[in-house]
């Protein structure tokens, strides 16, 4: 029997966390390339440290996408986050671009040619998950951890909390009873701040945002409410710790509530199944739960480099399903072409929509008018209901 009474913890990090700065820059350059050519190929990594940014990776893009434009995109990303500090400033940081052309060996395996469909850009496994704990069908601990930091960032950008810096982390432990979250047992928030503000002021600012985000009656006991537990957080961001693209993959997904295939998303164009197939798996899992076919749904997809079709499609409703899982797997594959090209076309992924995914999670976000977060749509629900007579 699955465990029903427990405490589960997830963490999130803000857009100004060093690793998220790197993710933001990498995805900004992905969008730059896709805006120039919807079929651009990008695999780009960013390293950030004290007043220094290094861009590295391989691309296949029009000649108009120059190193100078990539460097400018990196600076703009840092500016948008809000870094204007002595140790990390969008204008004065040195930006080094080591990006080069894509390997021909990779291209030949991935590209469509003759009777060969486009193949996966690499081997790997990808997971998607959905659960009816929140309106967004996301696990509650990661959902509220994201929301607390996003609320603080909105206040900072609006000028309502000018003493806050861009770098922040949250961690939320929730009590589950009968398999459902009922309250927070502890809340941890560490946020960068100016040197002249007291910790009491910061604590009450953070409390306001936590209370706004958590459902009524969910606040943890006062002795379990930790704000800047080290006592000081003035030096932060890449000046305080090196940032790298792709180091926050659990933050990006389900906060540890579901397995992860190990591949990062940011810095990759949608031919990379690390990204696109993870989006597809979430899309399918969310529609299964949205259709009422299960309270929880986990989907795994597996691919081989250069091969178009998925090697396996695994569906697990974790004991909450109302329908046969083998039939469900077959129906899902009928409703969506899970080749790399099929995923991109179904979700319309060949667009510059990725910068906004780089912080506060790739899942549980509202689809927008520019095509962003298309994998969060529930448009398969009617067809799933029809297939299973719901």
């Amino acid at each position: 029997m699955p465990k029903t009474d427990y405490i589960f913890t997830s963490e999130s990090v803000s857009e100004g966390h060093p690793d998220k700065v790197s993710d933001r820059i990498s995805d900004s350059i992905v969008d730059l390339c896709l805006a120039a050519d919807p079929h651009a190929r990008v695999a780009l990594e960013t390293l950030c440290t004290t007043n220094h940014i290094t861009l590295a990776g391989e691309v296949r893009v029009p000649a108009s996408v120059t190193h100078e434009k990539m460097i400018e995109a990196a600076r703009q990303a840092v500016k948008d986050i809000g870094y204007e500090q002595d140790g990390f400033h969008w204008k004065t940081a040195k930006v080094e671009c080591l990006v080069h052309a894509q390997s021909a060996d990779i291209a030949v395996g991935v590209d469509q040619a003759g009777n060969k469909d486009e193949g996966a850009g690499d081997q790997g496994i990808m997971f998607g998950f959905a659960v009816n704990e929140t309106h967004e069908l996301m696990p509650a601990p990661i959902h509220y951890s994201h929301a607390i930091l996003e609320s603080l960032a909105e206040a900072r950008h609006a000028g309502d909390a000018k003493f806050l810096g861009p770098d922040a982390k949250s961690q939320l432990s929730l009590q589950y009873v009968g398999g459902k979250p009922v309250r927070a047992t502890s809340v941890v928030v560490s946020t960068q701040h100016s040197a002249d503000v007291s910790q009491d002021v910061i604590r009450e600012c953070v409390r306001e945002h936590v209370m706004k985000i958590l459902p009524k009656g969910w606040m943890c006991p006062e002795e379990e409410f930790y704000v800047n537990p080290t006592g000081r957080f003035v030096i932060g961001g890449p000046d305080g710790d090196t940032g790298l693209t792709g180091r926050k993959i659990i933050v990006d997904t389900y906060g540890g509530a579901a397995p992860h295939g190990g591949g990062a998303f940011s810095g990759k164009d949608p031919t990379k199944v690390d990204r696109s197939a993870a989006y597809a798996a979430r899309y399918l899992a969310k529609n299964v739960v949205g259709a009422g076919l299960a309270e929880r749904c986990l989907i795994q997809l597996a691919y081989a480099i250069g091969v178009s079709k998925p090697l396996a499609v695994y569906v697990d409703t974790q004991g909450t399903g109302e329908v046969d899982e083998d039939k469900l797997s077959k129906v899902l594959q009928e409703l969506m072409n899970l080749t790399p090209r099929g995923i991109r076309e179904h979700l319309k992924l060949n667009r510059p929509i990725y910068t906004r995914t780089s912080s506060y999670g790739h899942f549980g976000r509202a689809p927008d008018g520019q095509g962003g977060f298309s994998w969060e749509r529930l448009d398969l629900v009617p067809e799933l209901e029809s297939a299973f007579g719901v």
Side-chain angles (χ1 to χ4, degrees), residues 174-194:
L174 295 187
Q175 176 76 53
Y176 282 71
V177 176
K180 300 294 183 183
V182 297
R183 67 182 182 93
T185 59
S186 68
V187 176
V188 184
V189 177
S190 295
T191 179
Q192 188 182 14
H193 58 86
S194 59

Side-chain angles (χ1 to χ4, degrees), residues 126-168:
M126 298 84 209
F127 288 94
F129 182 66
V131 59
N132 63 358
E133 294 176 5
T134 61
H135 177 266
E136 295 77 7
L137 304 184
M138 285 289 287
I142 188 66
H143 171 73
Y144 293 119
S145 293
H146 285 322
I148 290 167
L149 293 184
E150 194 165 14
S151 182
L152 286 166
E154 288 171 357
R156 176 175 61 84
H157 284 297
D160 298 331
K162 295 181 179 179
F163 52 83
L164 294 179
D167 195 357

Side-chain angles (χ1 to χ4, degrees), residues 201-284:
V201 169
I202 297 168
R203 182 181 182 87
E204 292 313 306
C205 174
V206 170
R207 184 196 305 277
E208 175 188 339
H209 289 273
V210 171
M211 294 289 287
K212 181 178 77 172
I213 293 302
L214 290 180
K216 186 177 181 180
W218 277 37
M219 186 61 179
C220 66
E222 185 64 20
E223 63 272 17
E224 296 296 330
F225 180 47
Y226 304 96
V227 178
N228 286 356
T230 65
R232 181 178 170 87
F233 188 3
V234 174
I235 299 173
D239 187 29
D241 195 7
T242 301
L244 292 170
T245 302
R247 280 206 300 200
K248 289 294 177 282
I249 58 177
I250 301 302
V251 170
D252 284 344
T253 53
Y254 308 102
H260 196 294
F265 303 156
S266 290
K268 298 175 182 177
D269 74 76
T271 66
K272 278 68 170 177
V273 285
D274 278 342
R275 180 166 224 159
S276 57
Y279 290 174
R282 160 66 179 173
Y283 172 66
L284 294 178

